[in-house]
Amino acid sequence: RPRNIYAGMAHAPIVLEAFDAMNAVIARQSSFDPRTREAIALAVGAQDGCNYCQSAHTLSAVAAGFTEEQTVAIRRGAIDFDPKLAALLDVAREAAANVGHVNDGTWKDALAAGWNDTELTELFAHVAANLYTNYFNHYADTELDVPLAPEL
């Protein structure tokens, strides 16, 4: 049985096909490892208040190597275990919160932490893909079919 998000998207095949196409490109071309991709999803899902995405990506993030405590820290924006990742997620959160706008200082901090312009530009695709699912879950009021993520 498919997850509720996919079943909901399947009501209009264009929605599911667009989701699949975005994810296929990301899977094929992303320079970020699965752990980083899951951290981005958690950060954006928390920024947008998407309970479904935070819950589903908590499971995936643990499978990718994070502890549950680290997933909570990522969602809170209080990462003390990986400063480079924290700088990347600051950019992702700002972009999600500010309709794509990111302060120059946040961008420069990410560059100083070791990310490059290509990676920070790629981050936009990840943020957009996660906004797509976050917004869909809000739009369709997708019923949770995975364990609820820990409280923040």
Side-chain angles (χ1 to χ4, degrees):
R1 179 176 159 199
R3 293 251 182 252
N4 287 345
I5 186 173
Y6 307 123
M9 287 180 175
H11 287 290
I14 188 173
V15 175
L16 185 57
E17 190 171 335
F19 170 77
D20 285 341
M22 283 188 293
N23 281 316
V25 169
I26 287 171
R28 212 174 42 251
Q29 296 187 23
S30 179
S31 63
F32 298 134
D33 63 17
R35 190 172 181 270
T36 303
R37 291 194 306 261
E38 289 303 327
I40 295 164
L42 285 172
V44 173
Q47 180 62 52
D48 289 337
C50 182
N51 288 332
Y52 191 97
C53 289
Q54 290 178 81
S55 298
H57 286 289
T58 292
L59 292 177
S60 299
V62 168
F66 287 109
T67 66
E68 190 171 274
E69 293 76 23
Q70 289 172 324
T71 69
V72 171
I74 291 166
R75 291 168 50 223
R76 281 192 181 132
I79 301 170
D80 61 0
F81 57 87
D82 187 336
K84 184 178 179 185
L85 180 62
L88 180 74
L89 298 183
D90 286 346
V91 174
R93 265 190 288 281
E94 260 187 49
N98 300 312
V99 291
H101 296 281
V102 176
N103 291 319
D104 287 342
T106 306
W107 189 276
K108 288 176 183 174
D109 288 347
L111 291 171
W115 300 102
N116 62 47
D117 282 320
T118 301
E119 291 165 324
L120 294 177
T121 303
E122 176 187 329
L123 177 60
F124 177 79
H126 296 268
V127 170
N130 282 284
L131 288 173
Y132 188 85
T133 57
N134 293 179
Y135 286 14
F136 178 80
N137 286 321
H138 293 179
Y139 185 75
D141 197 23
T142 307
E143 184 179 334
L144 196 61
D145 59 349
V146 295
L148 184 64
E151 288 288 323
L152 294 181

